Every structure is written in structure tokens, then in C-alpha cells.
Amino acid sequence: MRKIVLTFGLIAGAILSVMMLITIPFHDQIGFDKGLIIGYTTMVLAFLMVFFGVKSYRDNVAGGSVTFGRAFVVGLLITAVASVCYVATWQVVYRELAPDYLEKYSAYALEKEAASGATEAQLAKKRQEMAEFAEMYKNPLVNIAFTLLEPLPVGLLFTLVTAGVLSRKRRVEGTALA
């Protein structure tokens, strides 16, 4: 199981990491809204590896049959490996390649608020919230936790669907075992 988890998890992690590294230099041209779409589309494509990994486990290790629980565990481990790759890449990008990312995001968020008709008081409140978040985000553990929250729900969803689709009960002489 370890080989399958690492293989498919690292493939998914590589997809996530490479796409992040490709898009970050063009972030000013892409923008935050399109960047969000590109990022989550990449996550969907990367987490297809959960399906292929669980299928490989079922077909090559488990003898063609896997329970929902075992499929879920394999998928969750693949998701964990891919998510760790994503977080590690972001830590390098944030610290070395885009240290001004949070300032740019804050400016974007304030601009978006102003465009939606926010009052000066609302803008001041938003500025304060963004400043507090920026201060909190300097803590590496907080940064890691927030970054992990980006791919994890997508991977978890893929894991649940994959476990449901690929789990099979073993059949002996035409009857299902409990």
C-alpha cells in the first residue's frame, strides 16, 4: 500500500506544485479571481490520482475487491501526501518567490470591497481585518494550517466519491459476504 500511496500522492502533489510554480510569476496578469479558478481546477485534475491510486490498490494489492473503509484510507493517504507537497511548495513560494503576496491580496480585497459600494467605515474595518490576518499569517504554523485548508476539502471529496465508487464486497459462489 505504501508504494501506491506514495506514487499517486507524489504525482498529485507534483501536479499541484508545478502548476503553482508556473502560475505564480504571472499572478499579476492572471489576477486573484482567475487564479482561484485555475488553482481549484488544477486540484480537481490532481486529485483524480486518488481514483487511480485506489483503483490500483484494489486491482493489484487487494485482489480485485476493497471495502469502503480501506478505499477511504488509501484515498485519504494519497490526499495527505499531495496536500503536504502543496503546502511545502507554498511555503517556498510565499517566503522566496512572492513575499509580497499578502499585501497584493489585501489591496485586491479592499479594491473589491470599494467596488461593491462599501462605506469608508466598512473599508476601515476590512483594512483592520486584513492587517490582523497578515500578522497572524506570519506564524508558520498558522500559514501551514490555512494553506492545508485549500486542497484538503477537494481531496476529501474525491476520496469519499472514489471509496463509494470503487468499493466492492467479495463474492463467494454468487453470494455477498457481510
Side-chain angles (χ1 to χ4, degrees):
M1 178 168 73
R2 182 182 305 146
K3 182 179 177 186
I4 288 172
V5 165
L6 287 175
T7 299
F8 288 94
L10 289 173
I11 291 169
I15 292 168
L16 293 170
S17 297
V18 166
M19 192 58 160
M20 185 188 303
L21 291 170
I22 289 171
T23 57
I24 283 295
F26 304 105
H27 200 269
D28 290 338
Q29 293 84 10
I30 295 171
F32 286 97
D33 291 331
K34 289 180 186 169
L36 193 67
I37 293 168
I38 291 168
Y40 279 100
T41 301
T42 301
M43 286 180 200
V44 167
L45 295 174
F47 284 121
L48 285 173
M49 291 301 115
V50 170
F51 176 85
F52 294 121
V54 172
K55 186 176 184 317
S56 177
Y57 176 83
R58 182 193 72 189
D59 296 345
N60 301 317
V61 175
S65 177
V66 67
T67 64
F68 179 88
R70 177 56 78 174
F72 183 79
V73 168
V74 171
L76 194 58
L77 291 172
I78 292 169
T79 295
V81 170
S83 296
V84 166
C85 291
Y86 180 85
V87 169
T89 302
W90 175 248
Q91 296 309 304
V92 171
V93 166
Y94 181 68
R95 306 240 185 279
E96 303 298 327
L97 303 176
D100 61 344
Y101 180 84
L102 216 47
E103 289 84 22
K104 288 180 179 180
Y105 181 76
S106 294
Y108 160 78
L110 288 168
E111 192 176 293
K112 194 171 180 181
E113 285 280 320
S116 70
T119 65
E120 190 54 45
Q122 291 169 323
L123 290 174
K125 183 178 179 199
K126 185 70 168 181
R127 262 188 224 96
Q128 179 64 30
E129 288 172 5
M130 296 305 292
E132 289 171 3
F133 181 78
E135 188 60 36
M136 187 174 57
Y137 205 69
K138 288 178 184 176
N139 179 334
L141 294 177
V142 171
N143 185 312
I144 288 168
F146 273 107
T147 305
L148 191 59
L149 287 175
E150 293 173 23
L152 206 54
V154 178
L156 186 58
L157 180 64
F158 266 82
T159 298
L160 286 168
V161 171
T162 296
V165 169
L166 294 179
S167 61
R168 294 185 197 158
K169 294 192 187 231
R170 295 184 183 198
R171 299 189 183 277
V172 177
E173 297 179 25
T175 61
L177 294 176

